[in-house]
Amino acid sequence: MKKLITLLFLFLFVSCGSSEDEIPETNPTEFTFIYNIHNSLPSDWTDEFYIIMKNLEQLIPIAPSNHFYELPIYAWNSSVDKPYKDKIGDASGASISGNGASVNGKYMVLEIPKEEFQFKQFHRYSVIDHEYFHVYQMSLSKNFFDRNIELKWMSEGGAATFESLYIQQYYSYNYFKNDQNRVDKAAIDTPNIFETYDASKSQDSNYSSSVFMFLALAKELQKTGINENEAFKKVLKDYWLTNPTNQNWKTKFNEVFTMSVDEFYLSLKGYTNDINTVLPSEGLKLENVF
Ligand SMILES: [Zn+2]
């Protein structure tokens, strides 16, 4: 019995200790990534990973807030079986996921398919840009952080466009043309289905259709007289700063883009479902956008 009481006391002590650690500091001054980069990854990938992270932190730094100032990153090669199981359970693939285990309730998963090393696919690098961009979106919009907005073609279209712009700029490879070219005709006929994941899961291979709509929006904005850099700033950054929700996203859309969602969807009828008709210029530089 005495032993049990001691154990109970110890447990209480330990659990108090850990909950104290979880009290968020106020006014954090910088955003911290915590790296868990597994040794199953090829060393040239790991080197490139840190270069990409450094570039991204310069291009689009993540502003810390009281609810979001730290993010663990778990990266590994799919050739090994979930080496961070004790921290993130069965999480796999690539995403920003959440459980109670991390300070801000979220972590980044980067399970890189082994084939991507074998075939030297740019996706092994672009996925870093893609997931980082979701972190950026979360830092701009608390509602996005809290998952109060889905709007898939804007959120995934934005992240997938950003990754392509990065690959185009840093590796001189057109990822739009080569890897995001399977645009479904539904992007023109029924664009509203791309507002949710469920309604469009079989029409959005590698987010090609969402990217197409996102790039078409940048084209339509340029028709209103703003230049390409300004148009991309509006779609990639300014829109998220309005902190849209599932309820008010159409009003916010109208405010930032000075056109209604219906008008934009109608304008898509003037395009064909071909990524080549909406490509941004190859000389576009991300530092001029943000
Ligand atoms: Zn994504």
Side-chain angles (χ1 to χ4, degrees), residues 138-173:
M138 286 175 183
S139 76
L140 299 179
S141 163
K142 181 153 191 320
N143 281 320
F144 188 77
F145 176 87
D146 289 333
R147 301 187 189 278
N148 292 332
I149 177 156
E150 185 167 3
L151 193 52
K152 181 183 121 177
W153 72 264
M154 279 291 287
S155 69
E156 294 296 356
T161 292
F162 180 82
E163 69 176 290
S164 285
L165 290 174
Y166 185 96
I167 296 295
Q168 172 170 285
Q169 178 172 341
Y170 286 86
Y171 302 94
S172 303
Y173 174 84

Side-chain angles (χ1 to χ4, degrees), residues 1-279:
M1 191 62 188
K2 208 172 178 185
K3 213 171 180 182
L4 191 70
I5 291 168
T6 316
L7 269 174
L8 194 69
F9 179 79
L10 255 177
F11 172 77
L12 282 173
F13 183 77
V14 169
S15 58
C16 285
S18 70
S19 65
E20 260 169 38
D21 287 348
E22 280 162 21
I23 293 170
E25 53 183 282
T26 46
N27 302 320
T29 52
E30 58 183 49
F31 192 94
T32 310
F33 288 99
I34 298 164
Y35 297 113
N36 302 274
I37 311 299
H38 199 256
N39 58 20
S40 56
L41 290 157
S43 61
D44 61 340
W45 184 90
T46 303
D47 292 346
E48 198 68 18
F49 167 82
Y50 285 114
I51 291 169
I52 292 169
M53 287 300 291
K54 199 171 158 222
N55 289 339
L56 292 172
E57 288 188 276
Q58 271 165 12
L59 280 170
I60 48 170
I62 310 295
S65 58
N66 279 334
H67 63 277
F68 194 33
Y69 53 87
E70 188 179 296
L71 188 77
I73 300 178
Y74 296 95
W76 71 94
N77 185 334
S78 74
S79 63
V80 295
D81 182 35
K82 303 188 182 78
Y84 298 108
K85 217 172 188 148
D86 58 327
K87 301 270 177 24
I88 58 172
D90 274 335
S92 61
S95 65
I96 309 295
S97 294
N99 68 1
S102 51
V103 168
N104 299 152
K106 292 194 196 295
Y107 52 83
M108 184 189 294
V109 185
L110 293 173
E111 180 193 26
I112 314 292
K114 58 181 189 296
E115 296 77 18
E116 294 186 5
F117 303 113
Q118 198 183 336
F119 300 110
K120 298 202 179 317
Q121 286 169 347
F122 274 103
H123 188 260
R124 71 195 192 282
Y125 297 139
S126 74
V127 69
I128 305 165
D129 304 303
H130 183 107
E131 297 308 330
Y132 183 99
F133 191 77
H134 283 317
V135 178
Y136 179 67
Q137 289 170 313
M138 286 175 183
S139 76
L140 299 179
S141 163
K142 181 153 191 320
N143 281 320
F144 188 77
F145 176 87
D146 289 333
R147 301 187 189 278
N148 292 332
I149 177 156
E150 185 167 3
L151 193 52
K152 181 183 121 177
W153 72 264
M154 279 291 287
S155 69
E156 294 296 356
T161 292
F162 180 82
E163 69 176 290
S164 285
L165 290 174
Y166 185 96
I167 296 295
Q168 172 170 285
Q169 178 172 341
Y170 286 86
Y171 302 94
S172 303
Y173 174 84
N174 198 318
Y175 193 83
F176 291 113
K177 240 177 4 193
N178 298 308
D179 302 84
Q180 294 170 332
N181 53 13
R182 295 176 296 266
V183 182
D184 197 280
K185 208 170 168 298
I188 285 159
D189 297 338
T190 52
N192 60 310
I193 69 167
F194 297 94
E195 291 166 12
T196 67
Y197 289 86
D198 267 3
S200 57
K201 51 174 175 276
S202 54
Q203 288 96 345
D204 210 6
S205 169
N206 201 24
Y207 297 131
S208 299
S209 303
S210 289
V211 169
F212 170 83
M213 288 172 66
F214 197 82
L215 294 177
L217 177 57
K219 291 278 180 219
E220 289 301 303
L221 290 173
Q222 289 170 73
K223 288 183 190 167
T224 69
I226 62 173
N227 69 34
E228 190 177 37
N229 290 333
E230 290 164 340
F232 276 98
K233 180 174 170 283
K234 273 186 192 287
V235 289
L236 289 165
K237 180 179 184 183
D238 295 350
Y239 184 67
W240 294 105
L241 282 172
T242 69
N243 199 23
T245 64
N246 284 327
Q247 285 73 41
N248 69 14
W249 73 271
K250 290 187 175 180
T251 314
K252 304 284 186 184
F253 188 100
N254 211 334
E255 279 167 23
V256 177
F257 305 129
T258 57
M259 71 175 97
S260 70
V261 173
D262 288 345
E263 281 169 329
F264 170 59
Y265 285 173
L266 204 60
S267 78
L268 290 168
K269 309 256 180 238
Y271 293 82
T272 48
N273 56 316
D274 178 354
I275 200 76
N276 292 293
T277 62
V278 291
L279 292 176

